[in-house]
Amino acid sequence: MLTLLRQCNALLDKPDLAKLLLRITLGGLLFFHGWHKVLAGTGAIQGMLEAQGVPGFIGYGVLIGEVVAPILLVLGILCRLSALSIFFTMIVAWLLVGTGKTFTLTPVGAWGIEDLVYYAMAALTVMLLGCGRYSVMSNPEWR
């Protein structure tokens, strides 16, 4: 039995592949949110910011956190910095639209801010793990 467990562990011990899958998942899924903002504009976000007394032009920052950073993350470029950008984008999203949902459940039983927490924690995980060896950048300092 121990031999089987060792073989299984050796077969599945692929931390660089796991990092790549995490980056593709986080960046790929978040990019769809950003692409919507590219097509529809950032006016709604700018309006929410202005309602809170924050200059509306800061709403363009969502394009960095939901378009540029996810692309860089998937490609394996500046992963920790990109993940940090995504993390802060999720904090701002929570402050703008999620605080009222923090202690709620959706009609299907999911946490009201489940998606925000998923993206924030996945970004935090990438920040701590780094890019791994699978990247379009050969220089590890740019990963």
Side-chain angles (χ1 to χ4, degrees), residues 6-89:
R6 285 186 194 109
Q7 289 173 342
C8 183
N9 286 337
L11 180 67
L12 297 176
D13 186 21
K14 308 289 185 219
D16 288 313
L17 180 59
K19 292 173 187 179
L20 174 64
L21 291 174
L22 178 60
R23 289 183 5 239
I24 289 172
T25 302
L26 173 59
L29 291 176
L30 190 56
F31 178 78
F32 288 109
H33 291 272
W35 188 246
H36 170 73
K37 290 165 184 80
V38 168
L39 297 177
T42 60
I45 294 167
Q46 290 174 330
M48 285 186 270
L49 288 167
E50 289 169 349
Q52 300 296 323
V54 177
F57 74 88
I58 293 176
Y60 288 108
V62 74
L63 298 176
I64 295 170
E66 292 185 5
V67 177
V68 176
I71 291 170
L72 292 175
L73 204 64
V74 169
L75 294 174
I77 303 170
L78 301 172
C79 284
R80 292 181 200 266
L81 186 60
S82 297
L84 180 64
S85 172
I86 292 169
F87 181 78
F88 281 121
T89 300

